[in-house]
Amino acid sequence: MELIRIPRIMQDTSRGHLLHGRGIGFVPTMGALHEGHLSLVRRAKEENDITMVSIFVNPLQFGPSEDFNKYPKDTDGDADKLRKAEIDVLFMPDASSLYPAGFSTHVEIEKLSEKLCGAFRPGHFRGVATIVTKLFNIVAPTRAYFGQKDYQQAVIIKKMVKDLDMGIDIVVCPTIREHDGLAMSSRNAYLNEEERKAATVINKCLVQTTELIKSGIIDIGSIRRFMKEKLSEKPLVTEIQYASVYDPETLDELERVEKEALLAVALKIGGTRLIDNMLVKV
Amino acid sequence: MELIRIPRIMQDTSRGHLLHGRGIGFVPTMGALHEGHLSLVRRAKEENDITMVSIFVNPLQFGPSEDFNKYPKDTDGDADKLRKAEIDVLFMPDASSLYPAGFSTHVEIEKLSEKLCGAFRPGHFRGVATIVTKLFNIVAPTRAYFGQKDYQQAVIIKKMVKDLDMGIDIVVCPTIREHDGLAMSSRNAYLNEEERKAATVINKCLVQTTELIKSGIIDIGSIRRFMKEKLSEKPLVTEIQYASVYDPETLDELERVEKEALLAVALKIGGTRLIDNMLVKV
């Protein structure tokens, strides 16, 4: 595994591979790698000649009151995991090399960026779209891999790639879960023992709401009420930001579930913000 | 000369050339080609294995009250000129293939986009940055060529390429002028005989202001006054949007000209908006 820190060297390395006709599979991450990330890495390795992973905690996608400064870091552990996964290149740039003084260009995807998480994290998806554009330009991947857990992010990246003709295949891989159903997330590390137990309510809510819908309860009022009641069973759930059923493409809330739908939840347990989602077909 | 209309085919063609190690020189245009465009094409041919030109009148960079619908078109004439110039590929996409229904992604360069022309054409440089990003992603050039006449555009594109790590060399080529000094522009075709004569005042103003500065008059007040008086000599000049001296990198207006400076003018002659500029070194 080659470790590269300088964007220009990363770009030259990638272009060298492309010149030899090698397809590049790319997994962009913010580090603190878990089994979810590693599932993307394995998929990338299966489908490409060369596999590259980036680790960069992107300041641009964090709001001023968010957890940028305490975001989990485990650089040595991450490098070990990636070495064992036999990736070819680990790209770990410094913030100063990606955002030098005077940086002032942004990529914005309207509408999709304002919904769901976007309503609670203004500027978040602009920050995501901008760093992903930069990383795509530097790494020049053939295919890039994202987890379904960050469903809205995946939809936005796909839209951006299409709108800006980036010519990169965006592959969305299934959410990987702990044994009790909690979606894997680097932010789970913030939870204490009690909070960790309470967090299982999210997956339980999604599973039970799926059953409810499949049993024929398909109107938004009943679904919202059920999800809210279920999540509110845990006193440690201090804030429900959204919990409802959405169009999987436009992310608009549905009036009735009539074909495929996205069940999605964002809430806070103590000070930790968690999200999860599930696709349901009627 | 190969004519390509479909973005996906253009992208595959470019990638084929890159795979063979060929450098691509690219000249993006809005057609109605004049000697200014052709000077860019010749430079691109000198410096690259493959030369590609695009013709696309980009609706996104025109304001609602601007001249999108009457922008000069001469597709057959343009194709002849490019064939004679022996370019390899002419890319002429349809608006519907670049901006399908639901298009919603934009690239924005803050600060630089709000100055000079940006103050009079809100959204213009966002439209320029977005189409140039798309064309760069489709054509995948090694080098791209822009005219100094659109100085602010060139500065913004360079900044975008740097900020988003596009890894493309941006080459800015000198303004080409008519025999009487008027900067070549597709919009000169809008001018009637009287207006065409009056338009020579722009270059005269830039030349005389350069002399003024070189003679030691370097304060903004005197320079602005001189430029305004000079341009106002022509009654057909119906509006002076800006005429002053700016920092060539930040585009901020200068208090005093102490090293390199940009003299820049935007005005209307009748209903036609014209711009020009000149770099001056003290």
Side-chain angles (χ1 to χ4, degrees), chain B residues 100-112:
Chain B
F103 181 90
S104 61
T105 303
H106 296 89
V107 179
E108 286 217 61
I109 297 91
E110 284 157 30
K111 293 180 193 136
L112 287 174

Side-chain angles (χ1 to χ4, degrees), chain B residues 126-156:
Chain B
R126 188 175 95 134
V128 169
T130 302
I131 190 63
V132 171
T133 296
K134 284 171 65 73
L135 291 171
F136 282 0
N137 283 334
I138 294 166
V139 174
T142 315
R143 294 177 196 84
Y145 297 80
F146 294 86
Q148 195 201 303
K149 204 214 101 202
D150 300 307
Y151 186 93
Q152 185 176 13
Q153 171 176 276
V155 169
I156 287 173

Side-chain angles (χ1 to χ4, degrees), chain A residues 7-8 11 15 18-22 97-98 100-112 126 130 133-135 137-138 141 156 159-160 162-169, chain B residues 7-8 11 15 18-22 97-98 100-112 126 130 133-135 137-138 141 156 159-160 162-169:
Chain A
R8 191 74 213 198
Q11 195 166 49
R15 289 178 175 191
L18 295 175
L19 201 56
H20 285 87
R22 295 178 195 127
S97 69
L98 289 185
F103 181 91
S104 61
T105 303
H106 296 89
V107 180
E108 286 216 60
I109 297 92
E110 284 156 30
K111 292 180 192 136
L112 287 174
R126 189 175 95 133
T130 302
T133 296
K134 284 171 65 73
L135 291 171
N137 283 334
I138 294 166
I156 287 173
K159 177 77 171 126
M160 175 184 81
K162 178 171 178 271
D163 278 357
L164 296 183
D165 307 280
M166 291 181 174
I168 296 165
D169 281 344
Chain B
R8 191 74 212 197
Q11 194 166 50
R15 289 179 174 190
L18 294 175
L19 200 56
H20 285 87
R22 297 178 195 128
S97 69
L98 289 185
F103 181 90
S104 61
T105 303
H106 296 89
V107 179
E108 286 217 61
I109 297 91
E110 284 157 30
K111 293 180 193 136
L112 287 174
R126 188 175 95 134
T130 302
T133 296
K134 284 171 65 73
L135 291 171
N137 283 334
I138 294 166
I156 287 173
K159 177 76 172 129
M160 176 184 81
K162 178 172 178 270
D163 278 358
L164 296 184
D165 307 280
M166 292 181 173
I168 296 165
D169 280 345

